[in-house]
Amino acid sequence: MSSVFSYDFRYDDNECETETSVLQAEVEDSIGDIYLNFVEPGSLAQGGGAIDDTRHKLLRAKHEQFIHDAINGLPSNFAVLDSSQPWFSFWCLNSLDILGCDISQQLRDRVVDKLSRLQSPSGGFCGGSGQLPHLAGSYAAVMAIVLVGGDKAYRTIDRQG
């Protein structure tokens, strides 16, 4: 592995190796190997890692389609993400925003409707249906609502509860 991933961004297990720290190092190594395919080798010696834009292109249309497919509903093997519904809405909307994609009014309305059903009468947002509200879910829901924008979305937030 190149020294490009040997600096402060690597996980430090404080010399207390665990199964998790070993797995973390393996993930970082595999990401490092992929990263090295995207950089100009000469730039590593100068501490850089300049991306060679002529070799790799972002397939925006395919990314956008993947995001739309995901926000419309995940397959049953993703049931583990049920408690992350506000986060998933935020991640998908933020990805579309970063890519510069249009977020249709229909999608905006669906996200607001979904998040409004996850809001607890006692205040805050739940991660999924029938769950307790908590700060993380509330943060993600508010961030998704901000990305949606507009009066209808902002009125979704119960500021009194």
Side-chain angles (χ1 to χ4, degrees):
M1 170 63 54
S2 166
S3 63
V4 71
F5 283 97
S6 64
Y7 45 72
D8 294 338
F9 297 126
R10 297 288 312 241
Y11 174 72
D12 180 8
D13 65 6
N14 293 311
E15 299 180 19
C16 180
E17 190 175 278
T18 65
E19 180 181 351
T20 302
S21 68
V22 170
L23 291 173
Q24 176 69 29
E26 289 175 11
V27 169
E28 290 179 9
D29 288 343
S30 69
I31 291 170
D33 291 342
I34 294 168
Y35 174 77
L36 291 175
N37 289 321
F38 288 87
V39 297
E40 294 188 34
S43 69
L44 294 174
Q46 290 84 35
I51 302 294
D52 179 359
D53 289 335
T54 62
R55 291 180 46 207
H56 305 281
K57 298 289 178 197
L58 178 64
L59 303 174
R60 287 182 183 277
K62 288 189 176 197
H63 278 80
E64 182 177 4
Q65 185 60 53
F66 176 83
I67 295 163
H68 278 286
D69 290 347
I71 204 166
N72 284 328
L74 291 171
S76 61
N77 58 327
F78 282 87
V80 68
L81 292 177
D82 184 58
S83 63
S84 301
Q85 291 180 42
W87 281 107
F88 205 74
S89 295
F90 169 64
W91 293 328
C92 289
L93 289 171
N94 195 46
S95 297
L96 290 171
D97 186 54
I98 288 169
L99 288 171
C101 301
D102 180 48
I103 301 173
S104 70
Q105 190 59 49
Q106 179 185 15
L107 177 57
R108 292 172 190 271
D109 290 344
R110 262 196 3 256
V111 168
V112 169
D113 290 343
K114 175 196 237 176
L115 293 174
S116 68
R117 290 190 304 273
L118 295 175
Q119 189 165 200
S120 171
S122 63
F125 288 85
C126 308
S129 297
Q131 298 174 5
L132 295 173
H134 53 85
L135 183 60
S138 297
Y139 174 82
V142 169
M143 293 304 293
I145 288 167
V146 167
L147 284 168
V148 166
D151 288 340
K152 178 184 176 188
Y154 299 141
R155 283 192 307 269
T156 300
I157 302 171
D158 175 12
R159 297 177 190 163
Q160 305 302 317

